[in-house]
Amino acid sequence: MAGIKRKPNSSSSNQIGGTKKQKREPVSLPKTNSTAASLETATDSEPIVDSDTTEHSGDDDGVSWPSDNDEEMQEIEDEAEPIQPRDKKPTTSSKPTDATTTTNGAGNSSKEAHAKQKAVAQERKATKPNADSIARSKKLWERLRRKSHVPLEERKRLVAELFDIITGHVKDFVLKHDSVRVVQTAIKYANRDQRKLIAMELKGEYRNLAGSRYAKFLLGKLLVHGDKEIRDTIVPEFYGHVRRLIRHPEASWILDDIYRGVATTEQKHILLREWFGAEFAIFKPEGKSDKNTSILGVVLAENPEKRKPVMHALHELINMLVQKKTTGFTMLHDAMHQYMLNIKRGTEEMTEFLELLKSDEEGDLLKNLAFTQSGAAVVSTALAHGNAKDRKVILRAYKSLFSQLSYDEHGHQIILAAYDVIDDTVLTSKSIFPELVGKAADLDETQTQTLIAAVNHKFARIAILYLFANRRESFMPTMEQGLLDTIHSVRTDTSKKDPVTRRKELITHISPTLLSLIANNAEALVKSSFGCQFIMEFLPSAIGDRDPALKAIIAVIQSDSPEVMKALKTPAAGRLLKTLVQGGHYDTKDRKVKLAEPAFGFHNMLFKTLEAKGQVVEWATSDNSFVVVALMETQGFEGKAKLKEILIKNIKRLEEAAKGPTPKVSMTEAGSKKEQSRGGNKGVQLLLKSIGDAS
């Protein structure tokens, strides 16, 4: 401020003037006594050797714990002997100095100072409550945590001694970073009664433990290793506090772990209901447990007057967590799904919710949502409700992640939704197909192996086959059918392109790569059941030149490899060949074969191959008999007369195969003989009937 002069500092003026600096007097440390040494002697009731290893024991649950030495040094930092300031200019001495003497003196002084600091730290620890118990328990823990180095009998003895120490003092142990690890190890190796003892002693404190930086891992350990009784003791303590704890930086993760992996269905409903407002946290419905439902549609149907405050409270909490970027909670995803199911298209609520999904510029919200059941349903429904710009933003968030999504149990549903609602098929094919099947029709070795692995994966194959199989129940779960029904009902108002046209355009983009895959890797695909199903679903609907792929399958049939011949006799290979012979899939509703366009004439190619190898009768009397039946029944088959002639010449072999092997004779309880018929080849029986009807 103007007009106010600062009072000169004498010490500052001295330094500025260049006069000699005043040395600070060193703080004298308190004299140490023998407390630390006596403590060490008193606590070593049994000769337990300290561990000389620093290997990770698994008891820390992935947490990097601060070391005890770091804590000791921090405690005495203020009382340590200050380091003398070094002059800017070295002082010169007329007498020579012995460098060795100076160095040794400094080294001895440093060792003495460090020893004093350590002694002070030990003395301070000894004055804390339960110091002896904690010190002894830590020595036991140091031995117990080395799982592979401790015999079973010794471990039992150490655990028993550890429980003698901590029983009655568990609450004092769990809030300290070092002693809480002791209790975790005790829980890990304890029996059922011992775990129950700890759980009962901590009863009423679980909410506080969840909010502790270190004790939360103890709570997780107790839930993992505990039984139903312990679970039912812990979970109810969180009732009425969900809205507060879900915003806590530590407790939120434990709460979500409880909700996702520990709580029963009824407990999940109670926890999720509290998202609907404070009223649902304070007042619990009386009577039947089904009144505790967290299905928002049911809650609003029972209390329609509460819709506005409930939706406001739910949106407010969802928005708060999204803004804090804590979007990985399963509970949050379930709440978002309930909210979205109860807002209508075109309303302000829907517009705000879609903007909320797009507001995360880094895309973490959309990425986290994709890997849970409710989250994937939220994104899929958002694709259906959004406009072209919204859909483009959502697709961009999953760039370079579509392959990972396809392998996920829930994530692949987002890909199916994109197929069904996005009108810009060029955008869809450029965004998704390169990551799923490759960028070119001519695949290199790496792309080929990746695509074969996807075709044989339980979920990844759905993202590839969905366009061709047209929601066939043989490979799509019932749950996904319900989600797709919801999406299809919404897209009638939000998508302009005809579904058949959209599907055909996408098939045109993806077919060349898949045709190339079959043409070059038919044998590898036929050897697996999923590979056979892939060919069976894809080829009849493929757009492009199918001849190279069909010839590759014929080449597999011509092979004399025992491994290939065995694979061709499997039920999956039989269904594949039967479908190709028929020229399309059998429609259960219309009760007829839906022929592919254009027809690919595989029946003629197959018969010529079998006739050339002389295997017609062999196939007719083996596991592939239904393939021969399909040849007899298929319209347009040129070799039907020749096939019938061959079968009639070998009618005796057919009759023997139709009867089956010699019946097995067994003895009944009464002592009489009883024949157990194994039955004959059903396909051969149909062939005989077909020959008889034709003649």
Side-chain angles (χ1 to χ4, degrees):
M1 295 174 59
I4 298 178
K5 295 183 179 179
R6 183 175 298 174
K7 187 176 181 180
N9 191 326
S10 59
S11 60
S12 301
S13 62
N14 290 339
Q15 293 179 6
I16 295 173
T19 58
K20 188 177 180 180
K21 298 181 181 179
Q22 296 181 357
K23 294 186 177 180
R24 296 171 57 189
E25 293 296 331
V27 179
S28 59
L29 295 173
K31 295 182 179 180
T32 60
N33 51 26
S34 59
T35 305
S38 61
L39 173 63
E40 184 72 20
T41 305
T43 55
D44 289 340
S45 59
E46 292 187 18
I48 299 179
V49 181
D50 289 345
S51 172
D52 58 350
T53 179
T54 58
E55 64 181 357
H56 182 69
S57 64
D59 292 334
D60 297 342
D61 294 306
V63 176
S64 178
W65 302 95
S67 65
D68 294 338
N69 290 335
D70 294 341
E71 200 173 65
E72 293 170 5
M73 297 301 295
Q74 182 66 27
E75 290 177 353
I76 64 171
E77 183 179 356
D78 297 334
E79 294 193 9
E81 183 176 356
I83 299 174
Q84 297 299 330
R86 181 181 297 177
D87 293 337
K88 293 182 179 180
K89 295 183 179 180
T91 57
T92 58
S93 177
S94 58
K95 296 181 180 181
T97 303
D98 188 351
T100 304
T101 304
T102 304
T103 303
N104 292 339
N108 292 335
S109 177
S110 176
K111 289 181 180 179
E112 291 175 0
H114 185 70
K116 289 180 181 180
Q117 292 174 354
K118 191 172 183 179
V120 171
Q122 293 292 342
E123 188 173 290
R124 286 188 174 183
K125 278 191 172 185
T127 60
K128 293 182 179 180
N130 302 311
D132 294 344
S133 300
I134 292 176
R136 178 59 184 166
S137 64
K138 287 171 67 175
K139 288 184 175 292
L140 294 173
W141 170 79
E142 183 66 24
R143 178 64 177 161
L144 274 172
R145 74 186 186 92
R146 302 181 65 196
K147 182 176 181 180
S148 60
H149 296 72
V150 183
L152 180 60
E153 293 300 324
E154 182 182 357
R155 170 167 281 111
K156 290 181 179 179
R157 179 178 59 79
L158 294 176
V159 170
E161 183 179 352
L162 186 58
F163 267 89
D164 290 339
I165 295 173
I166 66 176
T167 300
H169 305 283
V170 176
K171 293 181 181 180
D172 300 328
F173 276 66
V174 296
L175 296 178
K176 298 180 180 179
H177 81 90
D178 51 354
S179 57
V180 70
R181 287 177 284 175
V182 175
V183 184
Q184 288 184 48
T185 304
I187 293 173
K188 181 177 180 180
Y189 295 114
N191 56 39
R192 181 177 179 181
D193 294 334
Q194 290 172 330
R195 292 192 186 106
K196 185 178 179 181
L197 183 66
I198 293 178
M200 293 301 106
E201 190 169 339
L202 293 174
K203 187 175 182 180
E205 299 291 334
Y206 290 115
R207 287 199 310 277
N208 297 331
L209 297 183
S212 171
R213 181 179 178 184
Y214 302 109
K216 66 180 181 181
F217 297 109
L218 167 67
L219 180 55
K221 207 81 163 181
L222 201 57
L223 288 168
V224 170
H225 294 283
D227 55 9
K228 178 181 177 181
E229 184 178 358
I230 293 176
R231 179 200 66 199
D232 292 340
T233 301
I234 295 175
V235 175
E237 291 197 16
F238 292 86
Y239 293 167
H241 304 274
V242 172
R243 293 181 65 87
R244 177 178 62 86
L245 294 177
I246 197 64
R247 293 176 286 186
H248 192 280
E250 305 291 345
S252 56
W253 296 100
I254 289 295
L255 176 62
D256 191 66
D257 287 343
I258 291 174
Y259 176 83
R260 184 182 69 251
V262 179
T264 63
T265 302
E266 182 179 353
Q267 290 170 341
K268 287 182 179 181
H269 282 300
I270 295 174
L271 293 172
L272 190 58
R273 275 174 64 92
E274 297 189 22
W275 286 62
F276 301 160
E279 175 186 350
F280 295 88
I282 298 173
F283 302 103
K284 301 293 188 298
E286 299 179 357
K288 298 181 180 179
S289 59
D290 57 0
K291 292 185 178 181
N292 283 321
T293 180
S294 61
I295 301 176
L296 184 56
V298 176
V299 174
L300 296 180
E302 294 176 353
N303 305 279
E305 72 281 357
K306 296 180 180 179
R307 187 184 190 282
K308 185 174 181 179
V310 167
M311 298 296 284
H312 175 73
L314 184 55
H315 184 273
E316 182 182 31
L317 187 53
I318 291 172
N319 183 61
M320 183 180 299
L321 294 177
V322 171
Q323 299 305 322
K324 291 176 64 177
K325 297 189 181 301
T326 51
T327 57
F329 300 136
T330 302
M331 185 180 288
L332 170 64
H333 301 173
D334 287 350
M336 295 178 72
H337 189 214
Q338 291 299 321
Y339 183 85
M340 192 165 200
L341 289 176
N342 290 275
I343 53 180
K344 297 180 180 180
R345 178 184 174 274
T347 61
E348 184 179 353
E349 291 176 329
M350 177 61 73
T351 303
E352 290 180 357
F353 191 75
L354 292 176
E355 290 299 324
L356 180 65
L357 292 177
K358 299 186 300 179
S359 63
D360 188 357
E361 296 179 356
E362 298 177 358
D364 291 339
L365 172 59
L366 290 170
K367 293 173 184 176
N368 288 327
L369 285 170
F371 297 99
T372 62
Q373 179 179 342
S374 296
V378 168
V379 179
S380 301
T381 311
L383 282 170
H385 281 280
N387 54 34
K389 185 177 179 180
D390 297 333
R391 294 163 181 169
K392 189 173 182 179
V393 172
I394 293 174
L395 278 188
R396 190 185 302 123
Y398 296 115
K399 185 179 180 181
S400 74
L401 287 178
F402 285 109
S403 178
Q404 186 177 350
L405 287 178
S406 68
Y407 279 87
D408 186 73
E409 179 182 2
H410 309 296
H412 72 273
Q413 299 173 8
I414 298 175
I415 299 177
L416 307 188
Y419 291 159
D420 281 345
V421 301
I422 298 179
D423 292 334
D424 188 353
T425 55
V426 175
L427 172 65
T428 306
S429 59
K430 288 184 176 180
S431 301
I432 300 177
F433 291 161
E435 297 185 33
L436 293 187
V437 300
K439 297 181 179 181
D442 297 329
L443 302 173
D444 58 27
E445 184 63 24
T446 303
Q447 291 176 323
T448 298
Q449 295 303 320
T450 301
L451 188 49
I452 291 176
V455 165
N456 286 281
H457 190 269
K458 181 179 180 181
F459 300 114
R461 68 195 184 105
I462 298 178
I464 298 174
L465 289 179
Y466 175 70
L467 295 169
F468 307 96
N470 196 19
R471 296 179 59 182
R472 209 177 308 281
E473 297 179 359
S474 58
F475 74 99
M476 286 194 65
T478 306
M479 178 185 64
E480 293 185 20
Q481 300 276 355
L483 176 61
L484 292 174
D485 288 338
T486 302
I487 293 173
H488 291 172
S489 64
V490 174
R491 76 176 179 183
T492 56
D493 298 326
T494 59
S495 297
K496 300 177 181 179
K497 186 171 288 188
D498 179 61
V500 177
T501 304
R502 182 192 299 108
R503 175 172 169 266
K504 187 176 181 180
E505 291 176 356
L506 291 173
I507 290 176
T508 303
H509 284 97
I510 197 175
S511 288
T513 305
L514 300 181
L515 286 171
S516 175
L517 176 70
I518 298 175
N520 297 318
N521 303 274
E523 181 175 334
L525 293 171
V526 169
K527 289 180 180 179
S528 66
S529 59
F530 280 175
C532 290
Q533 187 179 20
F534 161 69
I535 299 174
M536 179 181 70
E537 300 290 355
F538 165 68
L539 273 182
S541 302
I543 297 177
D545 186 7
R546 291 177 286 203
D547 287 343
L550 295 172
K551 291 178 180 178
I553 297 173
I554 291 297
V556 173
I557 297 173
Q558 292 173 343
S559 174
D560 294 328
S561 170
E563 187 177 0
V564 173
M565 294 175 67
K566 181 180 179 181
L568 290 174
K569 294 181 180 180
T570 61
R575 288 190 294 269
L576 163 63
L577 296 174
K578 181 180 177 181
T579 301
L580 295 181
V581 166
Q582 292 174 340
H585 293 285
Y586 182 78
D587 193 336
T588 55
K589 294 181 179 179
D590 297 337
R591 294 183 178 275
K592 64 179 182 180
V593 176
K594 188 176 181 181
L595 298 176
E597 296 180 1
F600 40 80
F602 182 79
H603 39 61
N604 295 323
M605 300 168 64
L606 176 62
F607 179 69
K608 290 178 181 179
T609 302
L610 296 180
E611 186 181 15
K613 294 186 67 176
Q615 293 181 343
V616 175
V617 179
E618 180 182 346
W619 277 52
T621 57
S622 66
D623 296 329
N624 292 323
S625 58
F626 282 97
V627 178
V628 182
V629 172
L631 285 172
M632 290 290 295
E633 296 176 350
T634 300
Q635 296 180 358
F637 173 44
E638 299 173 355
K640 184 177 295 186
K642 183 66 174 177
L643 173 60
K644 181 180 177 182
E645 180 183 347
I646 295 174
L647 295 178
I648 292 176
K649 288 182 179 180
N650 296 272
I651 192 69
K652 291 185 178 180
R653 289 182 60 181
L654 296 178
E655 291 175 347
E656 291 177 0
K659 293 179 181 178
T662 304
K664 183 178 179 181
V665 179
S666 62
M667 300 296 294
T668 62
E669 295 180 359
S672 60
K673 294 183 179 181
K674 180 181 179 181
E675 291 186 353
Q676 296 180 349
S677 176
R678 298 181 182 178
N681 190 315
K682 302 299 182 183
V684 179
Q685 294 174 6
L686 291 175
L687 283 175
L688 290 174
K689 184 179 179 181
S690 176
I691 294 172
D693 293 341
S695 60

